[in-house]
């Protein structure tokens, strides 16, 4: 999200500086951010994203900015920058992107963070950005005034997903011509890959020619997922690929029959948009903040549990001729409403209001 916003701000003619940790910041990504200044702080504690602080450099960058945009919520760097921004009298925007609700590990740390920094960061912002209308309610519950909330959804860049070389992707995994279900996301309980793997293994006999491809970096859940597959004796049909980016991810979307997002909690899934712009239909849970895809006929929305996902898989895969039509409806909807060009115009207008 930050990467795409930066790219499109630069393309719009805005000067943009990104302050971040160096985690995941590859040479390829830096080249793709050409035109923006990137200040990458070494990360001291990876789990907490705790950076090595360069106070003078951060203050200098903030002093040059017209407006500062804080992304996400649980961030020591955000807390520090918010203090500096107030000291320098600069306006700032916060986009929590669905992270406000305390969920998963480190609950005590998160509550302490809110008391010390979090609530103040939200309430002192010129504007808070909600990526869905549902998130507006959460922001209000955290003390943000409704007139200080702007709804700007996530976006997608169609140019990034034009590579549709399906044969090369299939050859890499040895899939042949077999149809497959795709998961893209972190292997973390909040993303729900365990729900999908359990649902697939339970229903595998009903769609014996279909494979499951799991794409994403492991965050501790991979051994459990592999054990479910081994117990079900489906090692030949479930493929753990690890991280994919660029052209390889585009090929995966284009080659898949169906994308499944089994998240237990999500503000608004960017993966839905990526699949949609490739014409791939989706099955998502009702925790993804994107229920309108069912209304436009681009996929199905179900409860976030393995039984509901299994039932939906059996239904969708029993009518495969309808999947392509679903994908095209989703593509038209995403193309019309969720390109980054549309969203960046909204961000620029918001920044002008702040200034």
């Amino acid at each position: 999200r930050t990467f795409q916003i930066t790219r499109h701000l630069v393309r719009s003619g805005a000067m943009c500086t990104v302050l971040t940790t160096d985690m995941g910041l590859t040479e390829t990504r830096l080249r793709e951010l050409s035109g923006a200044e990137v200040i990458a702080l070494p990360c001291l504690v990876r789990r907490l994203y705790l950076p090595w602080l360069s106070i003078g450099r951060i203050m200098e960058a903030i002093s040059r900015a017209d407006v500062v945009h804080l992304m996400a919520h649980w961030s020591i760097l955000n807390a520090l920058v918010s203090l500096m921004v107030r000291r320098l009298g600069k306006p700032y925007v916060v986009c929590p992107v669905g992270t406000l609700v305390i969920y998963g590990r480190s609950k005590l740390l998160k509550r302490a963070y809110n008391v010390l920094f979090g609530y103040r960061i939200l309430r002192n912002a010129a504007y808070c950005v909600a990526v869905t209308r549902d998130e507006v309610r959460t922001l209000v519950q955290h003390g943000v005034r409704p007139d200080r909330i702007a709804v700007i959804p996530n976006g997608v860049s169609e140019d990034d997903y034009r590579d549709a070389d399906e044969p090369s992707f299939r050859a890499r995994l040895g899939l042949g011509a077999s149809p497959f279900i795709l998961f893209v996301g972190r292997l973390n309980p909040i993303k729900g890959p365990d729900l999908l793997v359990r649902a697939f293994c339970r229903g595998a006999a009903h769609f014996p020619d279909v494979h499951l491809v799991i794409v994403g970096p492991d965050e501790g859940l991979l051994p459990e997922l592999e054990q479910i597959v081994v117990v079900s004796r489906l090692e030949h049909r479930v493929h753990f690929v690890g991280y994919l980016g660029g052209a390889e991810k585009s090929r995966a979307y284009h080659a898949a029959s169906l994308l499944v997002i089994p998240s237990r909690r999500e503000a608004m899934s960017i993966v839905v948009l990526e699949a949609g712009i490739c014409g791939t239909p989706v099955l998502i849970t009702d925790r993804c903040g994107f229920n309108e895809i069912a209304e436009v006929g681009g996929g199905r929305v179900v409860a976030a549990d393995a039984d509901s996902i299994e039932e939906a898989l059996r239904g969708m895969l029993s009518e495969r001729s309808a999947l392509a039509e679903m994908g095209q409806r989703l593509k038209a909807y995403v193309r019309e409403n969720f390109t980054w060009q549309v969203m960046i115009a909204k961000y620029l207008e918001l920044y002008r209001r702040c200034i």
Side-chain angles (χ1 to χ4, degrees):
R1 185 181 294 102
T2 304
F3 171 72
Q4 292 289 3
I5 289 175
T6 301
R7 289 174 69 196
H8 287 85
L9 282 174
V10 170
R11 291 175 186 176
S12 75
M15 290 182 288
C16 191
T17 298
V18 181
L19 175 65
T20 181
T21 69
D22 60 359
M23 285 181 62
L25 196 60
T26 63
E27 288 299 321
T28 299
R29 176 140 287 194
L30 283 170
R31 284 196 300 272
E32 291 173 335
L33 287 174
S34 175
E37 178 188 12
V38 179
I39 301 173
L41 305 176
C43 191
L44 299 179
V45 182
R46 296 179 69 86
R47 178 183 170 187
L48 301 176
Y49 296 92
L50 181 65
W52 177 271
L53 299 178
S54 177
I55 303 299
R57 194 175 184 192
I58 296 172
M59 288 285 281
E60 193 274 332
I62 294 172
S63 68
R64 290 188 281 110
D66 292 309
V67 63
V68 174
H69 186 143
L70 303 180
M71 192 67 76
H73 184 64
W74 311 112
S75 166
I76 298 298
L77 189 56
N78 275 12
L80 175 68
V81 169
S82 70
L83 295 174
M84 294 183 180
V85 165
R86 294 189 67 197
R87 180 177 176 182
L88 293 172
K90 299 284 185 175
Y92 71 92
V93 170
V94 182
C95 184
V97 292
T99 60
L100 291 179
V101 177
I102 295 176
Y103 182 88
R105 64 186 183 182
S106 305
K107 291 180 180 179
L108 288 177
L109 279 177
K110 289 175 179 177
R111 290 192 181 100
Y113 177 90
N114 272 342
V115 171
L116 294 172
F117 307 108
Y119 293 131
R120 196 174 310 155
I121 291 172
L122 295 170
R123 294 166 186 173
N124 290 330
Y127 285 95
C128 290
V129 176
V131 295
T132 67
R133 297 203 174 276
D134 288 344
E135 196 174 17
V136 172
R137 182 169 55 253
T138 306
L139 284 165
V140 171
Q141 290 169 350
H142 280 68
V144 181
R145 287 165 35 194
D147 64 334
R148 291 296 178 181
I149 301 174
V151 179
I152 306 178
N154 293 323
V156 67
S157 177
E158 187 170 5
D159 288 342
D160 293 337
Y161 296 95
R162 296 193 184 279
D163 194 320
D165 187 359
E166 296 183 22
S168 67
F169 182 79
R170 290 179 174 279
R172 172 181 170 179
L173 297 183
L175 292 170
S178 298
F180 70 89
I181 299 163
L182 179 67
F183 168 90
V184 176
R186 294 176 287 121
L187 304 190
N188 181 298
I190 200 169
K191 296 294 184 180
D194 55 311
L195 300 179
L196 173 57
V197 172
R198 291 183 190 282
F200 179 85
C201 291
R202 290 177 190 173
H206 295 276
F207 33 83
D209 60 328
V210 178
H211 289 235
L212 174 62
V213 175
I214 304 289
V215 172
D218 179 33
E219 293 192 352
L221 205 56
L222 181 58
E224 178 184 332
L225 301 179
E226 290 177 328
Q227 182 61 26
I228 295 169
V229 173
V230 169
V231 169
S232 303
R233 298 181 179 178
L234 289 170
E235 300 96 318
H236 60 295
R237 289 175 57 190
V238 181
H239 311 266
F240 296 98
V241 178
Y243 172 80
L244 287 182
E248 278 296 291
K249 184 163 73 164
S250 176
R251 292 167 189 163
Y253 283 130
H254 281 283
S257 299
L258 174 68
L259 175 87
V260 180
I261 304 174
S263 295
R264 290 181 168 93
R265 185 169 297 280
E266 189 115 26
M268 178 190 174
S269 175
I270 289 180
V271 175
V272 169
L273 301 178
E274 293 172 346
I277 207 67
C278 296
T280 302
V282 297
L283 167 61
I284 69 173
T285 68
D286 54 10
R287 309 292 177 84
C288 293
F290 212 165
N291 290 357
E292 57 264 42
I293 66 158
E295 298 168 14
V296 301
R300 286 189 60 182
V301 180
V302 299
D305 61 71
D307 289 340
S308 298
I309 294 170
E310 179 194 352
E311 182 182 354
L313 286 176
R314 289 169 62 174
M316 295 179 79
L317 293 173
S318 67
E319 299 179 8
R320 297 184 198 179
S321 60
L323 292 179
E325 295 177 8
M326 276 187 183
Q328 290 308 305
R329 285 193 289 267
L330 182 58
K331 182 173 185 176
Y333 180 66
V334 170
R335 182 183 276 166
E336 183 176 350
N337 296 283
F338 296 102
T339 63
W340 276 120
Q341 290 87 337
V342 171
M343 301 310 158
I344 289 303
K346 295 181 179 181
Y347 273 114
L348 287 170
E349 177 55 33
L350 182 67
Y351 298 153
R352 290 187 185 101
R353 273 187 270 159
C354 292
I355 295 166

